[in-house]
Amino acid sequence: MTALLRLYPAGYRREFGDELALAYHEATRDAGRAARTREALDVTGHALRMRLGLGSAGRRGRLVAAVAPFAVTAVGASALWWAGLMLPGATASGLPAGMTTAYLLLVATHFVTVLGAAIALSGRWSAGGWTALAGCAATAVTEATRLGGGVELVLLLRTPLLLAALAAVLCPADLRPRPRVRTAAGLAAVVLWAALLAGVLTLGPLPDGSFGALRFAVPAAAGLALAGRPAFARLRTAPAVLLAALPLFVLGTPLWTRDAYTGPLALAFLLVAATAVSVRRRRRNGLPLDGI
């Protein structure tokens, strides 16, 4: 626990260190390895939020909570698109065995990221967020070490994905959306559904180009549907709308750049939505607001 406590800011550690250590000890007493790992990850996430000033009472914390479902959706959709891009390399004949293995590893890490995003959006934010982040990190490491990509290039390509995945981990615990799926059977169904969707979109006969963009558009739409109305209800200011859309725009490059019209139309729709939210907020300015 001492190593975990060092993750906290010094002032917070001095004030609450004993309480944190006692709570961790009580939570992990007679617990198995999985429970201890889960508790350690929760403590790590909380320490990161404290260091970054992302408490639930602050504006930044509430903003991260509003953006998180959209960021995680973008992460899952982007990972699925990349899995479809890597799969031909994994199944191509004539490649060296090492390259085939590298492509297979990349497909696997992308699938882990997709499943992590689905788990997070179903309401298991800690488990899903850390799984998605681990998948993104494993992807970056594999690309840098097994495909011979330079560290600078890998960071350029993967930093937006890693930052978006961090949104689920950094979302304040008491501001996380309520679980959309409340039972273990329901969670298993979501994971199975995500795996089947990923399999269909990566193994299915989707050619490159416009149809290839479906590998991003379909899981993005599914993720937004899984996040549901509560995710959209948190977007109460124009900045929140724009920031929530940013991961989808950055990671959805294959969709927005497929022709000369899709990107500008999506941007215009986004600006209209942000303006409408801003106007609505101004009209309600005399009422008490607890949003962002």
Side-chain angles (χ1 to χ4, degrees), residues 209-257:
S210 298
F211 289 101
L214 290 176
R215 290 196 177 101
F216 183 91
V218 172
L224 292 176
L226 185 58
R229 184 177 177 181
F232 290 91
R234 288 176 176 263
L235 303 180
R236 298 177 182 176
T237 64
V241 173
L242 296 175
L243 285 175
L246 184 62
L248 292 167
F249 268 88
V250 173
L251 300 180
T253 302
L255 180 63
W256 313 125
T257 59

Side-chain angles (χ1 to χ4, degrees), residues 235 237-238 241-242 266-280:
L235 303 180
T237 64
V241 173
L242 296 175
L267 181 59
F269 176 79
L270 174 62
L271 292 176
V272 169
T275 302
V277 168
S278 180
V279 170
R280 183 185 178 189

Side-chain angles (χ1 to χ4, degrees), residues 122-160:
S122 70
R124 276 66 172 183
W125 279 95
S126 181
W130 283 109
T131 300
L133 185 60
C136 293
T139 296
V141 171
T142 302
E143 288 176 337
T145 59
R146 302 300 295 269
L147 290 183
V151 175
E152 296 83 1
L153 179 60
V154 171
L155 287 176
L156 179 64
L157 291 175
R158 296 305 172 197
T159 295

Side-chain angles (χ1 to χ4, degrees), residues 16-227:
F16 300 106
D18 292 340
E19 296 178 22
L20 290 170
L22 179 60
Y24 179 81
H25 177 72
E26 291 295 330
T28 57
R29 179 186 297 174
D30 300 327
R33 179 176 298 177
R36 291 197 302 270
T37 301
R38 183 171 59 250
E39 191 66 25
L41 291 175
D42 286 342
V43 171
T44 302
H46 185 250
L48 289 174
R49 290 192 292 273
M50 291 300 99
R51 282 197 173 273
L52 296 173
L54 297 177
S56 58
R59 179 181 175 87
R60 283 182 293 176
R62 297 198 303 271
L63 190 59
V64 169
V67 171
F70 301 91
V72 173
T73 296
V75 166
S78 178
L80 187 50
W81 185 83
W82 278 100
L85 196 65
M86 295 294 106
L87 190 60
T91 56
S93 59
L95 285 178
M99 292 292 290
T100 300
T101 302
Y103 280 117
L104 285 172
L105 285 174
L106 285 175
V107 172
T109 59
H110 287 309
F111 272 112
V112 168
T113 304
V114 171
L115 294 180
I119 292 170
L121 290 170
S122 70
R124 276 66 172 183
W125 279 95
S126 181
W130 283 109
T131 300
L133 185 60
C136 293
T139 296
V141 171
T142 302
E143 288 176 337
T145 59
R146 302 300 295 269
L147 290 183
V151 175
E152 296 83 1
L153 179 60
V154 171
L155 287 176
L156 179 64
L157 291 175
R158 296 305 172 197
T159 295
L161 195 68
L162 288 166
L163 290 176
L166 268 174
V169 174
L170 296 178
C171 178
D174 52 346
L175 291 182
R176 291 169 182 169
R178 293 180 180 178
R180 301 275 293 168
V181 180
R182 300 182 183 277
T183 64
L187 179 61
V190 169
V191 171
L192 179 60
W193 167 75
L196 289 175
L197 180 64
V200 169
L201 289 175
T202 53
L203 299 175
L206 292 178
D208 294 332
S210 298
F211 289 101
L214 290 176
R215 290 196 177 101
F216 183 91
V218 172
L224 292 176
L226 185 58

